[in-house]
Amino acid sequence: MSKLRVAVLGAKGRMGSEAVRAVEGADDMELVAALGSEDPRNTLTDAGAQVAVDLTRPDAVMGNLEFCLANGIHAVVGTTGWTEERLETLRGLLAASPGTGVLIAPNFGIGAVLTMRFAQQAARFFESVEVVELHHPNKADAPSGTAARTAQLIGEARRAADLPAQPDATTTALDGARGADVDGVPVHAVRLRGLVAHQEVLFGDEGETLTIRHDSLHRSSFMPGVLLGVRRVPETPGLTFGLENFLDLD
Ligand SMILES: NC(=O)C1=CN([C@@H]2O[C@H](COP(=O)(O)OP(=O)(O)OC[C@H]3O[C@@H](n4cnc5c(N)ncnc54)[C@H](OP(=O)(O)O)[C@@H]3O)[C@@H](O)[C@H]2O)C=CC1
Ligand SMILES: O=C(O)C1=N[C@H](C(=O)O)C[C@H](O)C1
């Protein structure tokens, strides 16, 4: 069987360099290009890439995807910064390239995917909920894509259960003290030297609390998810949002 021809964008970055090693170590894949910010995108077509893994920056990913979709290259995207508006633009690009697949994974770690699923399940049972994400201080965006997605899933589950807005009697606060409001859920971002990627989802109700915590202690934790995405995306045209769609969680 011929090997999947894979390119990594952002190849010199923290995640990209790990992805380069993972692709090189996969028996069914061949790393055909490893691009940094200075490399022209046509390196991808010249190398005959079938799947591009984007681990760049929120301000770079859309241009990369435009190029990939215009050239029928499937994409596995770990880069963050996805708003509904950006997703809509991407859906438009995909409509013009119907056989091509894009996976956007807010988090490739199985523990993080499970955290989101468990939080979604717990959401309707608790009056209060807050999300705290904790990352290394070189991270460009806040809150993390994972925290934003977690809060969105919780918000959807609360609405589906007809829960009211959660109680919060704060009338005076320093700016930012209550975190960012994502879909009615306060999200707090910690940046601390020594950390990699961590998240706590705190639920509370009368007389009890529930904490769901996940820790990525090394970026190798994301690599099985990246490789799964690379294997599955060529057979999955259109937009897939979330690695859970490629996992049998139920
Ligand atoms: N989904 C997931 O599981 C995970 C997602 N991430 C996300 O991945 C992204 C990257 O994170 P991280 O590796 O820590 O960031 P880094 O800053 O370490 O790496 C980003 C790399 O992308 C390069 N780059 C920027 N623009 C382009 C471009 N147009 N083409 C090719 N390369 C480019 C940068 O090069 P230069 O320095 O020259 O600008 C840099 O080497 C972030 O959005 C982060 O949130 C991170 C971890 C897990
Ligand atoms: O930048 C990071 O490091 C990470 N980014 C992703 C995010 O924003 O959710 C995934 C993980 O948290 C690590």
Side-chain angles (χ1 to χ4, degrees):
M1 213 176 73
S2 62
K3 295 187 179 195
L4 259 178
R5 299 174 65 79
V6 182
V8 175
L9 296 100
K12 292 194 179 128
R14 286 174 289 269
M15 268 294 275
S17 52
E18 196 71 42
V20 163
R21 271 193 294 281
V23 171
E24 283 176 333
D27 291 342
D28 55 342
M29 295 177 199
E30 183 185 354
L31 182 77
V32 295
L35 275 65
S37 56
E38 304 296 317
D39 297 312
R41 291 182 182 125
N42 62 14
T43 309
L44 295 173
T45 39
D46 292 349
Q50 294 169 291
V51 181
V53 179
D54 192 295
L55 296 161
T56 60
R57 297 178 58 90
D59 55 3
V61 62
M62 204 49 125
N64 290 339
L65 287 178
E66 267 173 42
F67 182 88
C68 287
L69 294 179
N71 289 283
I73 301 171
H74 309 287
V76 171
V77 179
T79 309
T80 43
W82 291 99
T83 58
E84 193 41 51
E85 195 184 352
R86 292 182 123 214
L87 289 173
E88 211 36 57
T89 306
L90 180 56
R91 286 188 195 101
L93 296 171
L94 275 160
S97 183
T100 315
V102 173
L103 165 69
I104 297 178
N107 202 305
F108 289 110
I110 179 67
V113 173
L114 289 173
T115 298
M116 288 186 258
R117 174 58 63 96
F118 297 156
Q120 199 178 8
Q121 288 172 336
R124 71 190 165 99
F125 297 105
F126 290 89
E127 191 179 32
S128 300
V129 54
E130 310 230 351
V131 175
V132 185
E133 56 94 330
L134 310 91
H135 282 83
H136 58 93
N138 304 103
K139 183 166 174 54
D141 54 322
S144 70
T146 308
R149 180 67 178 151
T150 306
Q152 188 191 6
L153 291 170
I154 292 168
E156 283 170 11
R158 287 179 68 94
R159 273 195 301 283
D162 282 330
L163 291 194
Q166 46 180 324
D168 181 351
T170 308
T171 50
T172 58
L174 281 180
D175 273 358
R178 293 291 294 116
D181 181 329
V182 181
D183 224 343
V185 180
V187 178
H188 310 268
V190 175
R191 296 291 173 263
L192 204 67
R193 185 67 67 205
L195 296 183
V196 178
H198 318 257
Q199 177 165 282
E200 285 191 358
V201 188
L202 312 170
F203 290 101
D205 214 305
E206 199 63 39
E208 64 172 335
T209 65
L210 169 69
T211 302
I212 304 171
R213 180 174 172 114
H214 173 252
D215 297 275
S216 266
L217 304 171
H218 191 276
R219 290 181 181 83
S220 55
S221 62
F222 302 117
M223 294 307 129
V226 170
L227 297 182
L228 174 66
V230 169
R231 290 185 181 111
R232 292 290 303 276
V233 80
E235 66 195 40
T236 318
L239 176 61
T240 302
F241 195 89
L243 190 70
E244 61 275 18
N245 294 288
F246 290 167
L247 295 164
D248 187 11
L249 293 187
D250 297 313

